[in-house]
Amino acid sequence: MDTGMLDVPGARLHYEVRGSGPVLLVILGGSTDPAMAAPLAEILSGRYTVITYDRRGYSRSPLTEPFGDRPVERHADDALLLLEAAGPEPAHVFATHAGALIALDLLARHPERVRRLVAHEPPVYELLPDAERWRRMTEETVGLFAREGAGAAMRRMGEETGLSVPGPPAPGLPEWVRDMLTRMAANTEPNLRYELRGFSAFVPDAVALRGAPVVVAYGAQDQGTVFHRTTLAVAELLGTRAVELPGDHVGYLRDPGAFAEALHACLA
């Protein structure tokens, strides 16, 4: 694995490169850390040049100038610069959760840079019939964060979405897992403060994306969840059918071997 730093406007992006072959950029979302995708990246490195990275202001990617909200489009611009640094050829992209929103915007505005995108469980709440409920959830979460801190806000979000809130690192965990969880805990505050509202209101550009090389996917174990519903809604918006991948919302981490095979099939 090679590591490096890429200077972008307002930040320095920490990235990791594994393997050889066509470029595959991995974009995670929320307050997660790209180490969550490391097992998947290791498996896929026999087929692809896999790039994982810390989004601006998270983990090991420090900001170099202060600014407020970090919209989806700003992160998509960062992803574009990473792809340009990787070479002139269009790249594959695997993106999950809020990372899928970033990747959808990247593909809509820069289709020449993306060979194929697999967008896994994009949380486009605005496409749901009960979108107003999710707007309220966002505002309640932001309000709780202001009054009681990140822990209370994340628990509230977990009650609505079904996602568990990671606790402090337990004794006996591998060092890389402890380091990852420590970074994720620090990522929670900027995610709630600077991104949650903007990401929750994002809707992909259907005109630009219809007919684009995008696969919209959900986890087999997530049927009936809000993320399954948003995935189906995005597929309908784009005039395509959602496909099923192994596992749940983090199937790429729970069973990276099975997920890697299914993902490769989508990309191929």
Side-chain angles (χ1 to χ4, degrees):
M1 180 182 71
D2 295 324
T3 65
M5 300 293 291
L6 179 68
D7 290 318
V8 298
R12 303 189 72 221
L13 302 181
H14 172 94
Y15 65 87
E16 299 174 350
V17 183
R18 297 171 173 86
S20 60
V23 171
L24 170 59
L25 178 66
V26 177
I27 309 177
L28 304 187
S31 57
T32 56
D33 183 273
M36 290 181 66
L40 177 71
E42 289 289 345
I43 295 169
L44 289 171
S45 65
R47 289 168 164 160
Y48 301 93
T49 299
V50 185
I51 301 174
T52 58
Y53 72 104
D54 300 358
R55 293 188 293 118
R56 65 168 57 226
Y58 289 99
S59 296
R60 297 153 294 188
S61 289
L63 301 177
T64 56
E65 59 185 49
F67 62 92
D69 292 345
R70 303 168 197 169
V72 171
E73 295 80 4
R74 175 63 68 93
H75 288 288
D77 291 343
D78 289 345
L80 174 66
L81 293 174
L82 279 165
L83 292 182
E84 290 179 342
E89 297 298 320
H92 296 294
V93 180
F94 166 64
T96 184
H97 191 56
L101 307 183
I102 296 167
L104 287 166
D105 184 66
L106 170 68
L107 176 58
R109 292 193 289 127
H110 303 282
E112 75 286 353
R113 293 301 316 180
V114 179
R115 180 180 300 185
R116 184 173 295 275
L117 162 64
V118 176
H120 182 247
E121 302 201 348
V124 186
Y125 302 121
E126 286 296 314
L127 296 179
L128 298 178
D130 56 347
E132 179 57 36
R133 170 193 173 188
W134 299 99
R135 294 186 200 112
R136 288 197 303 271
M137 184 272 291
T138 297
E139 292 306 314
E140 289 171 7
T141 300
V142 172
L144 269 174
F145 169 65
R147 297 190 305 273
E148 301 180 29
M154 293 301 290
R155 285 191 295 273
R156 176 72 182 96
M157 190 181 301
E159 291 170 359
E160 292 290 337
T161 64
L163 293 181
S164 59
V165 180
L173 288 174
E175 183 177 359
W176 75 270
V177 176
R178 293 200 306 272
D179 290 345
M180 176 186 74
L181 291 174
T182 299
R183 291 192 298 266
M184 287 175 61
N187 290 344
T188 302
E189 181 172 338
N191 176 253
L192 294 167
R193 187 183 301 276
Y194 299 118
E195 292 187 1
L196 181 60
R197 278 196 176 106
F199 274 65
S200 296
F202 178 80
V203 178
D205 185 340
V207 174
L209 292 170
R210 279 182 175 264
V214 55
V215 176
V216 186
Y218 62 89
Q221 297 175 17
D222 275 351
Q223 293 197 33
T225 67
V226 64
F227 300 120
H228 179 227
R229 294 172 60 212
T230 58
T231 302
L232 297 181
V234 171
E236 182 178 1
L237 179 74
L238 304 187
T240 187
R241 295 183 64 182
V243 304
E244 187 175 279
L245 293 178
D248 58 6
H249 196 60
V250 290
Y252 60 91
L253 176 62
R254 298 191 197 279
D255 190 352
F259 198 94
E261 287 302 314
L263 175 60
H264 173 64
C266 289
L267 295 173

